[in-house]
């Protein structure tokens, strides 16, 4: 009797679709170290959610089973900055909260990335007022901005894949470069 | 006995004469004003009186009236008699050049944080307050944001399109 459900037997499912470029042969594979490190880093990014409002709710949906953020190697949401690779700032950051965001960023170890999720974290959003920080890029450097008010989980995933692209292509020497040090100095970070 | 607005007004006039003025009843709530030097005396009288017993400070805030020279800042006290469930609203006015008003912290402990908030947003200087510093805004702020000469929007941002915010 034929099995009622037949899957993964025709050979059209590939477990690994892409790897780094390199020379492969019988029993060996040669590539550059930073490509391997980049592949490793980008597929095991630990997010540190800094959720203050409705964008944080969208992130919860992104983490849950339907959108399943774990597919990107990020099921381990860390609430300790020292263990995390990417700071995801989601929601309105009041000026009084600004030093807290900066402190969290400073406690993260290099290499670290920052994603501003939603209009408020990116630019202050509709809160064009005396008490709200007009974008977190006034206090810490940001790698990827996700627009939306709030953005859908698809948008957050798209932004995360943009970060993965940056991480995978980043040179191992970037964080020692003068340009990077200049960027950090412009934020008063040593 | 039932405490009516007329009774409160009568008792206040007996005690303070024509110094208590501006009696109104918007939405049925008795509202009156007094010179700012008398604010503690009026509050103390309303607190101590055996019939009136206004012993709960519900709210304390300020209002800025730039069009009234010499009395730009109003400090508003909302008082509640819990026993008879009666409320009154009491206002004093201060000039913005010297916004000194006596602190009610000795009479109501609740006034402590509310006066700090009022100082934070309007710059009312509560004389005799034990710890008059900002409570809600960042400590570095160098102005009083709810005074009307300051625009509501953040002035540090230049790349926002005014038309998108309905002020083009």
């Amino acid at each position: 009797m034929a099995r009622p459900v037949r899957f993964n037997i025709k050979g059209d499912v590939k477990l690994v679709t892409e790897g780094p470029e390199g020379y492969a042969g019988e029993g060996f594979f040669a590539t550059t170290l930073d490509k391997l490190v980049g592949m490793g880093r980008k597929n095991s990014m630990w997010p540190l959610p800094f959720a203050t409002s409705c964008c944080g709710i969208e992130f919860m949906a992104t983490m849950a089973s339907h959108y399943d953020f774990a597919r990107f190697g990020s099921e381990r949401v860390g609430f300790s900055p020292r263990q995390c690779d990417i700071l995801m700032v989601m929601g309105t950051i009041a000026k009084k909260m600004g030093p807290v965001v900066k402190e969290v960023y400073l406690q993260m170890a290099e290499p670290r990335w920052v994603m501003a999720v939603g209009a408020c974290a990116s630019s202050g959003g509709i809160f064009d007022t005396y008490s709200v920080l007009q974008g977190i890029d006034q206090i810490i450097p940001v790698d990827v901005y996700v627009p939306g008010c709030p953005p859908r989980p698809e948008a957050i995933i798209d932004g995360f894949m943009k970060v993965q692209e940056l991480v995978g292509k980043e040179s191992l020497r970037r964080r020692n470069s003068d340009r990077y040090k200049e960027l950090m100095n412009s934020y008063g970070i040593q | 006995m039932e405490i009516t607005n007329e009774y409160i007004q009568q008792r206040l006039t007996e005690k303070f004469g024509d110094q208590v003025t501006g009696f109104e009843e918007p939405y049925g709530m008795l509202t009156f004003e007094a010179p700012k030097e008398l604010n503690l005396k009026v509050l103390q009288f309303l607190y101590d009186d055996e019939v009136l017993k206004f012993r709960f400070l519900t709210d304390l805030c300020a209002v800025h009236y730039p069009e009234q020279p010499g009395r730009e800042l109003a400090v508003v006290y909302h008082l509640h008699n819990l026993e008879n469930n009666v409320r009154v609203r009491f206002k004093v006015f201060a000039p913005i050049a010297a916004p000194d008003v006596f602190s009610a912290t000795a009479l109501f402990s609740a006034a402590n944080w509310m006066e700090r908030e009022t100082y934070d947003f309007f710059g009312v200087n509560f004389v005799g307050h034990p710890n008059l510093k900002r409570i809600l805004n960042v400590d570095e702020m160098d102005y009083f944001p709810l005074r009307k000469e300051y625009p509501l929007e953040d002035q540090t941002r230049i790349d926002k399109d005014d038309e998108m915010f309905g002020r083009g």
Side-chain angles (χ1 to χ4, degrees), chain A residues 59-175:
Chain A
F59 178 72
M60 292 170 207
T62 314
M63 289 298 301
S65 56
H66 194 97
Y67 291 95
D68 196 10
F69 211 39
R71 293 176 293 158
F72 302 90
S74 301
E75 68 267 57
R76 207 305 195 159
V77 180
F79 292 95
S80 154
R82 306 200 190 276
Q83 301 168 345
C84 290
D85 305 299
I86 175 170
L87 175 64
M88 298 176 77
V89 180
M90 296 167 283
T92 320
I93 302 296
K95 279 182 181 161
K96 212 160 183 176
M97 187 65 103
V100 180
V101 178
K102 187 158 187 174
E103 186 72 23
V104 167
Y105 179 75
L106 291 176
Q107 287 179 355
M108 292 171 72
E110 290 274 22
R112 55 194 168 184
W113 290 271
V114 177
M115 194 167 136
V117 177
C120 293
S122 304
S123 71
I126 61 166
F127 300 105
D128 185 12
T129 179
Y130 61 89
S131 57
V132 172
L133 195 65
Q134 301 296 299
I136 59 163
D137 52 5
Q138 297 201 343
I139 49 166
I140 54 173
V142 176
D143 292 277
V144 168
Y145 300 85
V146 177
C149 188
R152 284 191 58 86
E154 288 93 331
I156 297 178
I157 287 174
D158 186 57
F160 191 78
M161 287 168 75
K162 291 276 192 301
V163 178
Q164 281 190 312
E165 210 173 288
L166 288 174
V167 174
K169 287 180 181 164
E170 180 172 316
S171 155
L172 290 184
R173 294 175 191 278
R174 179 180 164 240
R175 309 260 161 184

Side-chain angles (χ1 to χ4, degrees), chain B residues 28-114:
Chain B
M29 182 167 167
L30 185 69
T31 304
F32 57 93
E33 66 169 275
K36 69 181 173 108
E37 293 77 21
L38 279 182
N39 69 334
L40 290 189
K41 291 199 175 68
V42 173
L43 290 172
Q44 187 81 51
F45 169 72
L46 292 168
Y47 188 101
D48 286 340
D49 192 272
E50 278 308 311
V51 181
L52 297 175
K53 285 190 234 176
F54 285 102
R55 292 180 186 170
F56 180 47
L57 180 68
T58 324
D59 196 12
L60 192 165
C61 61
V63 189
H64 185 200
Y65 296 106
E67 73 282 1
Q68 299 180 12
R71 36 185 280 145
E72 287 98 344
L73 285 173
V75 176
V76 187
Y77 302 88
H78 286 226
L79 299 167
H80 193 177
N81 173 342
L82 288 165
E83 216 165 286
N84 303 78
N85 195 21
V86 182
R87 295 169 192 268
V88 290
R89 189 189 287 122
F90 168 46
K91 295 180 184 175
V92 296
F93 288 85
I96 204 160
D100 302 322
V101 174
F102 293 119
S103 166
T105 42
L107 192 54
F108 298 105
S109 296
N112 190 320
W113 282 12
M114 291 196 274

